[in-house]
Amino acid sequence: MENPEQLLRKGVHHEALKQGAVKAVLGGMAWGVVLIALLIFGRICWDGAPVLLKPEFPFVDTAFLTEKTETLHVFDDASGTRHSLPASEYHGWVEKHGAESIFNETTYSYSGGGIAGPIVGTALLTLLSIVLALFFGVSAAIYLSEYAKDGAFIRWVRLAILNLAGVPSIVFGLFGFAVFVLAAPVFTDTPSERSLLAIPLGFTWFSFQGWNSSLIAGSATLACMILPVIITASEESLKAVPQGFREASLALGATRWHTIRKCVLPFALPGILTSSILSLARAAGETAPIMFTVAVAAKDDFPWEGATGPLGVLQSQVQALPYHIYTLAARIPSSDYTQRAQYGSVFVFLLMIFLFSTVSIILRNRVRSKLKW
Amino acid sequence: MVSDSPSAAVPAISIENLRFQYGEKQVIHDVTLDIPSREITAFIGPSGCGKSTLLRCFNRINDRIPGARVTGGSIRVAGIDIARPDLDLQTLRRRVGMVFQKWNPFPKSIFDNVAYGLRIHGEKDRSALEERVEYCLRRVALWDDVKDRLKSSAFGLSGGQQQRLCIARTIATRPDIILMDEPCSALDPLSTLKIEELLLELKNDYTIVIVTHNLAQASRCSDKTAFFFLGKLIEHGPTTKIFTKPDQQQTESYVSGAFG
Ligand SMILES: Nc1ncnc2c1ncn2[C@@H]1O[C@H](COP(=O)(O)OP(=O)(O)OP(=O)(O)O)[C@@H](O)[C@H]1O
Ligand SMILES: [Mg+2]
């Protein structure tokens, strides 16, 4: 080689400086995101953890998790001591000491007691909506990836699904209200007056009068919201299953449906579940779609109390954590006494989503380990 | 020549003036060929001449490919035209098994791979399954290697073992005809030799059609050879004849390595 010293640098190495600067900027961005996330989580944990956790056994404030939401009464007694009691205890106190010994009373709605109602509501809503969305979404994805022939129509369907993913959640909420709450069909013996169309079937009526504000209407709305993500991700997962598996299965004499069930779906399942993990957190967290379709701020009983069978549960309204947090933040004046409910709810909510995600990740990993790659 | 086996009278597969198109592109031109029972027939020819396509017509697996269609002629398997609308595709494919060029075991256990076809066809009895799986694995000389790890993944086997597993999976459903598309193209010489021995052994019970680029392999283990070029069948006949004194100039230059 001639002039081997060309291999060596002379003077300042500008290229290296430039590369270093690029790396520093990109790294700074990434760490910035981490910092913001840490700030958010740190703040919530800092204020929320003391509500839920206690220094002594059992280390968790079980009452906060298992009691229903109540109105908080804050008042001075005759000796000037400040009390803050949830409605149930407040009435006992009044009976014992008399109403005349209460001074400077303020009440804070929904801020006393626990948050069992919203926890249960959110759990039910999330579970139900993910089941609905997986059922419809995976079916649609199987059709799109395994049966549909590529053509203009299918391209339109895909485009529509993609666009659906961009629709704001409040629009889904209004859609759910218009369709599921007001117009969806039910079987009923006595069609309501606002029924859009009631078809007599002889023994009963098929009436388009909606499902009212109910668990099923809310779940259906949430399911619609997460459907596009589930369909798209499921279709990708199905497409990623090697063609060779399908051909081998068909060549052994399997039918198309058998091949899909035994040789395609199982291998796409981990990917499908990954998409539903993301959707799960989204369904659990949205406020707008449930505001008009299921959520109530105050409710004295759990959905199964007074309900007739599983169908009754589906027809009941529920409280939900995101809506509860919204109510506390937007409608209740903030004070030292409401902080417990506010930060506690947010903290529990985060823990819950964390729990959901962990469970589904474990589930996914178990499914994955069953496959013998 | 009088044959005592009735199936020898009807060719296992008989192809008549077959034409085939992918979309607008014709890849098989007027192929007429009889594939005799209980023999090994080798398809040879340069890359892209339509050997795989023809093979994939025999079990109609090409139906899956959009735009792929037979545009003329017919294929009869055991005398039955496989284009008939009342054909039971699942049964056809069970009777005409296929081993693919790229081995493709399922990401399941070794046992489940071999049992897959049996389960499709309704075999539920555990001991019957076990018996058949063992028989097939012995047949492909894999049993001793895998008998202690039937429950472990098929993906843990070597390439050659995986290909033999795929052959075991194919013979498990007792096909009459086995189609093999370059089964040894990615194997080392030793594994190739094992598979060739296996073919010679299987020939007693099965009709085998094998596509190969390995001319030595074709001459070693096939009884009949068909030479294709650009979608046309140039010549076919007994293997020794094709390799020693073919009628066509093109065949001669191909088998002697002058092109392809
Ligand atoms: N799915 C397909 N769509 C369109 N054209 C195809 C398709 N598969 C194969 N072809 C074309 O058909 C012709 C024959 O292909 P085929 O795979 O049958 O060749 P081959 O003889 O098996 O080749 P090789 O020896 O390389 O495997 C080729 O020109 C190929 O490009
Ligand atoms: Mg080929």
Side-chain angles (χ1 to χ4, degrees):
Chain A
M1 193 198 291
E2 289 190 20
N3 302 335
E5 59 276 13
Q6 273 181 343
L7 293 171
L8 301 174
R9 268 195 319 268
K10 290 178 205 75
V12 188
H13 189 204
H14 293 288
E15 192 52 35
L17 288 179
K18 223 160 78 189
Q19 297 296 330
V22 168
K23 185 179 160 195
V25 170
L26 296 179
M29 301 289 173
W31 285 107
V33 172
V34 172
L35 190 71
I36 292 170
L38 276 180
L39 281 177
I40 295 175
F41 286 121
R43 180 75 209 275
I44 292 169
C45 292
W46 183 257
D47 290 299
V51 177
L52 190 65
L53 305 179
K54 290 189 302 191
E56 70 274 7
F57 189 81
F59 305 112
V60 177
D61 186 354
T62 44
F64 189 62
L65 295 178
T66 55
E67 278 176 10
K68 291 170 185 169
T69 326
E70 291 178 67
T71 302
L72 190 67
H73 294 256
V74 179
F75 57 91
D76 290 331
D77 63 13
S79 63
T81 324
R82 199 122 175 96
H83 292 267
S84 81
L85 293 177
S88 51
E89 291 171 36
Y90 171 77
H91 295 305
W93 198 93
V94 172
E95 249 166 52
K96 203 161 140 209
H97 298 84
E100 63 283 357
S101 51
I102 287 178
F103 306 94
N104 300 329
E105 183 179 355
T106 354
T107 58
Y108 299 100
S109 308
Y110 324 127
S111 298
I115 52 169
I119 292 179
V120 165
T122 289
L124 284 175
L125 271 175
T126 313
L127 202 75
L128 208 60
S129 59
I130 205 86
V131 167
L132 282 176
L134 274 180
F135 182 72
F136 284 96
V138 173
S139 308
I142 290 177
Y143 177 75
L144 287 177
S145 112
E146 307 293 321
Y147 287 94
K149 291 214 165 60
D150 244 356
F153 174 69
I154 288 302
R155 276 204 295 282
W156 277 107
V157 171
R158 288 220 173 82
L159 199 66
I161 291 171
L162 272 180
N163 280 319
L164 207 58
V167 172
S169 56
I170 183 73
V171 176
F172 276 108
L174 294 171
F175 165 82
F177 180 70
V179 173
F180 298 122
V181 177
L182 296 182
V186 289
F187 290 104
T188 174
D189 291 336
T190 46
S192 96
E193 273 175 26
R194 62 169 168 76
S195 174
L196 300 177
L197 173 71
I199 304 165
L201 296 177
F203 55 99
T204 183
W205 289 74
F206 190 62
S207 164
F208 289 82
Q209 62 184 40
W211 299 333
N212 298 324
S213 173
S214 63
L215 198 53
I216 183 67
S219 305
T221 310
L222 284 173
C224 288
M225 186 188 69
I226 57 179
L227 254 183
V229 176
I230 294 212
I231 294 179
T232 314
S234 304
E235 203 190 334
E236 293 301 317
S237 317
L238 288 168
K239 287 237 161 87
V241 175
Q243 288 295 330
F245 296 168
R246 297 182 178 86
E247 289 196 340
S249 171
L250 291 170
L252 285 167
T255 57
R256 207 163 173 182
W257 175 231
H258 188 99
T259 300
I260 292 169
R261 255 179 31 230
K262 298 284 173 172
C263 270
V264 181
L265 255 191
F267 311 141
L269 207 53
I272 295 175
L273 289 178
T274 304
S275 76
S276 34
I277 292 169
L278 296 174
S279 311
L280 196 96
R282 180 143 188 244
E286 282 288 351
T287 318
I290 57 174
M291 236 168 5
F292 311 115
T293 53
V294 50
V296 282
K299 192 164 188 300
D300 288 335
D301 48 5
F302 290 122
W304 54 84
E305 286 172 349
T308 48
L311 229 62
V313 175
L314 292 183
Q315 287 168 347
S316 59
Q317 291 187 302
V318 292
Q319 290 176 291
L321 272 171
Y323 189 61
H324 189 63
I325 291 166
Y326 163 78
T327 314
L328 292 179
R331 299 220 237 138
I332 312 299
S334 179
S335 80
D336 288 348
Y337 300 100
T338 56
Q339 294 245 328
R340 181 182 107 98
Q342 284 174 347
Y343 281 106
S345 302
V346 174
F347 184 63
V348 169
F349 186 35
L350 273 194
L351 285 186
M352 217 167 136
I353 289 188
F354 183 70
L355 188 82
F356 278 169
S357 304
T358 315
V359 168
S360 38
I361 287 172
I362 291 173
L363 185 77
R364 194 233 355 231
N365 291 350
R366 283 194 49 175
V367 168
R368 196 184 267 162
S369 68
K370 283 235 178 68
L371 300 182
K372 312 221 164 169
W373 291 100
Chain B
M1 195 171 72
V2 181
S3 166
D4 50 8
S5 142
S7 61
V10 184
I13 303 174
S14 96
I15 309 148
E16 241 183 78
N17 296 322
L18 188 78
R19 284 184 221 164
F20 186 92
Q21 274 177 229
Y22 284 119
E24 291 310 304
K25 187 172 144 209
Q26 183 153 8
V27 290
I28 292 178
H29 303 265
D30 284 304
V31 168
T32 300
L33 175 68
D34 279 353
I35 293 172
S37 278
R38 305 275 159 92
E39 283 189 4
I40 300 179
T41 303
F43 286 3
I44 60 170
S47 192
C49 68
K51 307 177 298 288
S52 301
T53 304
L54 182 60
L55 202 68
R56 290 163 60 90
C57 287
F58 299 160
N59 65 352
R60 284 187 43 190
I61 198 92
N62 268 337
D63 288 9
R64 291 172 34 77
I65 299 172
R69 64 195 187 278
V70 171
T71 50
S74 67
I75 300 173
R76 290 170 187 281
V77 170
I80 307 275
D81 186 343
I82 62 169
R84 282 170 61 155
D86 58 348
L87 184 91
D88 180 353
L89 207 52
Q90 278 75 50
T91 310
L92 172 75
R93 287 176 180 161
R94 194 178 76 207
R95 306 280 295 268
V96 184
M98 183 166 228
V99 176
F100 294 84
Q101 172 170 5
K102 179 82 190 76
W103 54 80
N104 52 1
F106 303 124
K108 300 176 185 247
S109 72
I110 293 170
F111 183 91
D112 288 344
N113 261 284
V114 184
Y116 185 85
L118 297 169
R119 289 194 172 125
I120 294 173
H121 300 296
E123 183 62 82
K124 291 208 176 62
D125 180 32
R126 184 80 199 173
S127 63
L129 279 177
E130 275 167 5
E131 199 176 301
R132 185 75 191 156
V133 167
E134 176 174 346
Y135 170 81
C136 294
L137 287 173
R138 280 192 193 284
R139 205 71 207 263
V140 299
L142 204 56
W143 177 251
D144 291 326
D145 295 346
V146 303
K147 63 172 180 250
D148 303 321
R149 46 174 173 148
L150 289 173
K151 291 266 167 295
S152 56
S153 168
F155 282 35
L157 299 173
S158 77
Q161 289 172 328
Q162 290 191 25
Q163 188 60 294
R164 274 184 281 155
L165 180 70
C166 291
I167 298 176
R169 181 175 71 184
T170 305
I171 61 176
T173 51
R174 300 183 176 84
D176 302 307
I177 302 169
I178 304 178
L179 310 172
M180 296 188 169
D181 193 352
E182 302 182 43
C184 304
S185 62
L187 300 187
D188 67 295
L190 203 68
S191 307
T192 305
L193 211 63
K194 278 196 177 160
I195 291 194
E196 283 177 20
E197 281 168 12
L198 173 64
L199 292 186
L200 291 174
E201 220 250 336
L202 291 176
K203 166 173 113 167
N204 299 320
D205 301 321
Y206 304 93
T207 304
I208 297 172
V209 186
I210 178 171
V211 172
T212 178
H213 281 289
N214 183 338
L215 295 178
Q217 178 174 56
S219 69
R220 268 197 304 269
C221 59
S222 70
D223 303 297
K224 301 274 160 54
T225 298
F227 171 61
F228 293 86
F229 186 62
L230 295 180
K232 295 195 180 73
L233 175 64
I234 304 298
E235 187 173 356
H236 68 103
T239 299
T240 40
K241 177 165 181 294
I242 298 288
F243 278 89
T244 51
K245 42 179 192 322
D247 295 333
Q248 303 290 326
Q249 176 58 38
Q250 269 174 321
T251 318
E252 162 119 50
S253 48
Y254 185 75
V255 296
S256 64
F259 79 92

